[in-house]
Amino acid sequence: SAVISQKPSRDICQRGTSLTIQCQVDSQVTMMFWYRQQPGQSLTLIATANQGSEATYESGFVIDKFPISRPNLTFSTLTVSNMSPEDSSIYLCSVDPPYGRGEQFFGPGTRLTVL
Amino acid sequence: GEDVEQSLFLSVREGDSSVINCTYTDSSSTYLYWYKQEPGAGLQLLTYIFSNMDMKQDQRLTVLLNKKDKHLSLRIADTQTGDSAIYFCAESRPGANNLFFGTGTRLTVIP
């Protein structure tokens, strides 16, 4: 399995500010995903981050609000920009290991509260 | 429909079996998964089943797949208080690299 860490684990932020979440994997992976889990809800995919190309965003999510970096095969960042209370969620990164058995592994998540 | 559906809540007594059900959407899904989320934690992959199988057993966990009805279930034998968590089913769909998640079932184990 892949071991994934995220920083910060939680944060409380003021409205209008931005927060960058880091995701680090212990092995090289092609695809990394960023999901959002709003309180009491399921997971919704924000975007897919591929190394060497721009992230692919899902409907309802835009690059200006959620810029993503993917500088190498083991690391990605997600920024939540100009935050509002509606952005309060758990943000999770996930990886699809290259050995192709279909599993996806998740980081521990970043719990964000926007005041 | 587009949604992967699950019952929201399930309560069982410690030592009983739990059965969590899921209805998925795409009959050509290749893999189906069960994840566990404990309070304040990320998602832990419990088990998965390839779509050409109809059953998979792994210790206390049994996954049953009915492709005709697009129905997936997770049975936990001898349920323990440590099994209390939210359980998500998820499917992979052709042409998409990400997973599509159900609404989650909150399992409460009563001592």
Side-chain angles (χ1 to χ4, degrees):
Chain A
S1 66
V3 177
I4 305 165
S5 60
Q6 287 185 233
K7 289 182 184 179
S9 58
R10 58 178 62 230
D11 207 342
I12 301 172
C13 300
Q14 296 296 319
R15 181 196 297 262
T17 62
S18 298
L19 176 72
T20 295
I21 302 167
Q22 299 179 8
C23 178
Q24 179 77 52
V25 190
D26 69 342
S27 56
Q28 294 186 341
V29 294
T30 304
M31 310 200 77
M32 295 178 78
F33 306 94
W34 286 100
Y35 288 84
R36 180 175 74 180
Q37 186 181 21
Q38 294 178 297
Q41 303 292 316
S42 187
L43 280 74
T44 302
L45 181 67
I46 297 171
T48 303
N50 297 320
Q51 195 267 337
S53 63
E54 284 197 7
T56 304
Y57 288 83
E58 297 299 303
S59 175
F61 298 96
V62 295
I63 187 171
D64 290 346
K65 175 68 176 177
F66 297 102
I68 286 171
S69 78
R70 182 81 198 272
N72 57 53
L73 292 173
T74 64
F75 187 78
S76 178
T77 68
L78 169 76
T79 299
V80 187
S81 303
N82 188 25
M83 288 184 284
S84 66
E86 291 72 34
D87 295 319
S88 298
S89 294
I90 300 173
Y91 292 86
L92 299 115
C93 74
S94 165
V95 303
D96 187 359
Y99 46 77
R101 285 197 308 222
E103 304 105 308
Q104 289 195 1
F105 297 98
F106 283 80
T110 295
R111 185 178 293 270
L112 171 62
T113 302
V114 184
L115 303 178
Chain B
E2 291 291 318
D3 295 337
V4 180
E5 296 184 346
Q6 300 177 238
S7 300
L8 292 180
F9 302 100
L10 177 66
S11 292
V12 299
R13 295 211 170 268
E14 189 173 16
D16 289 349
S17 293
S18 308
V19 179
I20 304 170
N21 294 302
C22 171
T23 303
Y24 61 98
T25 62
D26 194 326
S27 58
S28 55
S29 293
T30 49
Y31 289 97
L32 296 129
Y33 307 84
W34 285 103
Y35 286 86
K36 177 183 181 183
Q37 186 179 38
E38 297 183 77
L43 269 70
Q44 174 195 355
L45 177 65
L46 284 178
T47 187
Y48 64 95
I49 188 167
F50 190 51
S51 58
N52 69 351
M53 299 168 65
D54 53 19
M55 188 182 86
K56 180 178 181 180
Q57 187 152 3
D58 183 1
Q59 299 181 354
R60 291 192 297 124
L61 306 179
T62 303
V63 179
L64 296 178
L65 174 61
N66 180 330
K67 283 191 71 174
K68 175 177 170 291
D69 295 336
K70 291 183 278 189
H71 184 264
L72 182 74
S73 68
L74 174 69
R75 178 177 180 270
I76 306 172
D78 187 24
T79 313
Q80 303 297 306
T81 54
D83 295 324
S84 293
I86 300 175
Y87 290 81
F88 291 95
C89 68
E91 62 172 337
S92 61
R93 295 177 186 169
N97 295 306
N98 60 292
L99 299 184
F100 295 84
F101 284 83
T103 50
T105 298
R106 183 180 294 273
L107 174 64
T108 301
V109 182
I110 303 164

